[in-house]
Amino acid sequence: MSQEYRSGSRVTRPASSLNRVSPVTADLAKNFQDLAPYSLPIRENLETFFTQGDSDPRSIFGPGAANSIRLEAALQTFSKVLALPASSIHFVADRSLAFMLSILGHAKSGEFRTIRYSAIDKKEVIAATFETKGLGVALNESRVDLSGAIDFKSVPASEVAKTLTLFQLRNGETGIWQSLIPDGPLILDATSLNPRGWGITLAIEVISQSSNWQSAIFDATSWGGPRGLYILAINERASWRNPLPTLDPVLPRFGASAPLTLMSAVALEIESAKSPSGIDQANIFLREQLGVLDEIDIAGDATGDRLSISILNLPADELMRRLASDGFIVDSGSACTASELSPSHVLAAMGILTHGNIRIRLRDENIGSVEPFLESLVAHTRSLRSELL
Amino acid sequence: MREINCLGMKCPLPIIELSKSMKQHPSENSFLLKSDDVATSPDLNAWSRMTGNSVRVIDRESFEITRGSAASLD
């Protein structure tokens, strides 16, 4: 057993253990984290975006005019790839703000008596939902099963039109898809949909075939864009009122940066042109090969770019440190990692182990490129367990 | 019943200490795990499912563990 875990809470490790990832190694590491450095085409445009992209697009002379043209082109890209009417699209700088605008805006219309959400919704989504209680809206939390499927309680036919459902098409932490679309008006949480594969197609289907979608929220980081750009689409037929105090009938940009908007459009064009087959195969391969380890939970049976793996009797922080020493950087939803002391509410709601959790995001991987990572993960899991038990 | 005092320990130590104690005392059938970490309750639920052992909640910080006959916290 390791001295580091002999008793009590975690103790300080030797400096040699903490410094195993040198700055040079970190630069060369294979990054499986949710957020990654920008791709080359985005970096090549950065200077233009930041030197000219913040020019006032209302000006018809000078760089403002060019900026206006670029922003209009970006809007058309979002409209085309996401199959949304350009007039429905609003850019928002913050995810919490995007959900708050959507949820409170629909609640403020007075059209809905009940809002349904699920136990695996994002914390800020649940928090925004709680705010609608002040508007006289009743709340209804749906549970999830071990596979991550949301059990939306049935609503009486007379209440369907008055019940607004927050529908998370895909969970960002586990990668699980929800394919059973509930009846009635929907707010689509599309923040974890990558434009590759059928994920975005599902969102487009829901949007194009259902008159029930009220609004939809997309996150530029899901297609390799920058943080700080969220797309809030509001169906023009939906009842929605801006919940923020304003004297201006025209909706503002909600703090969104013009350079980040342009970068997001470039990233979306690049990502949507890629083939999904490689990452799907890599995902399935990892799931199958991890069967050599006992007592692990791999959330759901999802394909696509995300995996969430929970390993019994294993401290995620030490596993992450050892993987990093081999050049593999991953995320974790475990409470034993540094950033958060409470366990993942998503994993807990599903009944999945919350400790020993690592999260992997695949980008341009294939089976061959994930094999070295698999070997490292299996070897460190076995050695850590033998040290601890 | 063997007591495993993990009060003050953070995730994943309570579960690791429980697994270790069960391994070290194979003839012991039941264990009392004391833990005040917020992750222990949800993790015991998953642990029970994965290992086939049963868990009974006594209070917020006390959990009775019995070998086999898996039953979750619900």
Side-chain angles (χ1 to χ4, degrees):
Chain A
M1 177 181 174
S2 161
Q3 290 292 325
E4 296 153 13
Y5 288 90
R6 189 170 291 280
S7 64
S9 2
R10 279 171 281 153
V11 295
T12 307
R13 293 176 181 76
S16 59
S17 166
L18 291 170
N19 293 333
R20 275 153 68 182
V21 185
S22 74
V24 175
T25 310
D27 285 344
L28 297 174
K30 187 76 177 167
N31 190 343
F32 290 113
Q33 291 182 300
D34 192 26
L35 295 172
Y38 301 128
S39 64
L40 184 61
I42 296 176
R43 293 203 302 272
E44 286 174 343
N45 284 296
L46 272 178
E47 186 177 353
T48 304
F49 292 158
F50 280 103
T51 52
Q52 298 184 24
D54 260 337
S55 307
D56 185 351
R58 293 171 299 185
S59 167
I60 58 170
F61 300 109
N67 193 29
S68 179
I69 292 167
R70 285 194 195 96
L71 283 170
E72 180 57 28
L75 182 63
Q76 293 307 322
T77 294
F78 293 124
S79 173
K80 182 181 169 192
V81 178
L82 302 176
L84 295 164
S87 54
S88 73
I89 292 175
H90 306 278
F91 300 119
V92 185
D94 179 79
R95 192 170 74 177
S96 296
L97 178 61
F99 279 104
M100 196 195 76
L101 285 166
S102 168
I103 295 165
L104 288 181
H106 293 300
K108 199 175 174 184
S109 73
E111 192 166 311
F112 302 106
R113 279 200 279 266
T114 305
I115 293 184
R116 285 191 294 185
Y117 64 97
S118 85
I120 56 170
D121 272 319
K122 296 173 178 66
K123 285 181 178 174
E124 64 256 44
V125 173
I126 297 172
T129 306
F130 287 172
E131 288 297 308
T132 63
K133 286 195 285 190
L135 299 167
V137 177
L139 303 184
N140 181 329
E141 181 177 291
S142 300
R143 299 184 68 172
V144 291
D145 63 19
L146 191 59
S147 72
I150 301 170
D151 176 22
F152 286 110
K153 294 170 192 139
S154 60
V155 176
S158 59
E159 286 297 306
V160 167
K162 298 287 182 186
T163 301
L164 179 63
T165 302
L166 286 159
F167 183 50
Q168 186 186 72
L169 281 162
R170 190 185 189 207
N171 186 270
E173 197 173 317
T174 62
I176 290 171
W177 305 95
Q178 302 293 329
S179 52
L180 289 174
I181 301 165
D183 294 331
L186 304 172
I187 292 177
L188 298 176
D189 174 354
T191 52
S192 300
L193 297 186
N194 187 279
R196 282 192 260 179
W198 59 277
I200 211 83
T201 310
L202 179 63
I204 290 168
E205 277 178 19
V206 174
I207 288 169
S208 61
Q209 294 179 9
S210 167
S211 59
N212 285 327
W213 78 278
Q214 305 293 296
S215 56
I217 297 117
F218 296 82
D219 178 351
T221 64
S222 69
W223 54 74
R227 290 187 76 175
L229 196 281
Y230 299 85
I231 292 173
L232 168 62
I234 302 169
N235 190 335
E236 287 164 320
R237 288 172 294 184
S239 298
W240 183 87
R241 288 171 60 191
N242 184 0
L244 300 180
T246 179
L247 298 176
D248 194 342
V250 178
L251 285 177
R253 286 178 54 82
F254 299 119
S257 146
L260 296 187
T261 307
L262 298 172
M263 286 167 68
S264 301
V266 172
L268 184 60
E269 282 178 354
I270 294 167
E271 193 69 8
S272 60
K274 290 180 180 173
S275 162
S277 59
I279 49 174
D280 275 353
Q281 288 164 2
N283 190 326
I284 292 165
F285 173 76
L286 283 172
R287 286 170 185 274
E288 288 174 352
Q289 298 299 312
L290 284 169
V292 300
L293 296 173
D294 57 1
E295 296 177 335
I296 69 167
D297 271 336
I298 305 178
D301 58 356
T303 56
D305 61 346
R306 289 161 206 246
L307 278 102
S308 172
I309 304 161
S310 295
I311 307 170
L312 186 64
N313 294 322
L314 207 78
D317 54 350
E318 182 58 24
L319 177 63
M320 291 167 75
R321 203 168 284 115
R322 294 189 185 194
L323 288 170
S325 72
D326 285 350
F328 303 111
I329 313 295
V330 299
D331 283 322
S332 173
S334 290
C336 57
T337 56
S339 61
E340 191 157 357
L341 292 174
S342 59
S344 157
H345 76 287
V346 172
L347 299 179
M350 289 172 63
I352 283 183
L353 195 68
T354 69
H355 81 243
N357 176 264
I358 59 167
R359 298 197 318 236
I360 297 158
R361 182 162 173 193
L362 306 168
R363 288 191 171 78
D364 294 304
E365 279 73 32
N366 53 44
I367 290 175
S369 69
V370 296
E371 273 179 325
F373 168 72
L374 177 71
E375 285 174 22
S376 173
L377 176 59
V378 170
H380 287 310
T381 297
R382 286 178 171 154
S383 63
L384 254 173
R385 274 178 166 169
S386 68
E387 289 168 30
L388 293 169
L389 294 176
Chain B
M1 188 184 298
R2 180 170 293 274
E3 182 173 319
I4 307 160
N5 187 351
C6 296
L7 294 171
M9 293 186 192
K10 295 296 178 194
C11 140
L13 283 170
I15 301 293
I16 290 175
E17 291 297 318
L18 169 63
S19 297
K20 198 171 67 177
S21 185
M22 291 184 78
K23 188 178 175 184
Q24 287 171 347
H25 304 96
S27 58
E28 200 85 51
N29 197 43
S30 55
F31 298 80
L32 177 66
L33 176 66
K34 308 275 279 183
S35 171
D36 53 3
D37 181 64
V38 290
T40 297
S41 180
D43 274 359
L44 277 177
N45 212 356
W47 176 86
S48 168
R49 172 177 51 78
M50 294 169 100
T51 62
N53 299 307
S54 69
V55 180
R56 184 173 72 88
V57 180
I58 298 171
D59 60 42
R60 283 178 59 182
E61 298 180 354
S62 307
F63 307 88
E64 183 185 342
I65 316 297
T66 309
R67 283 190 195 275
S69 60
S72 67
L73 304 180
D74 294 332

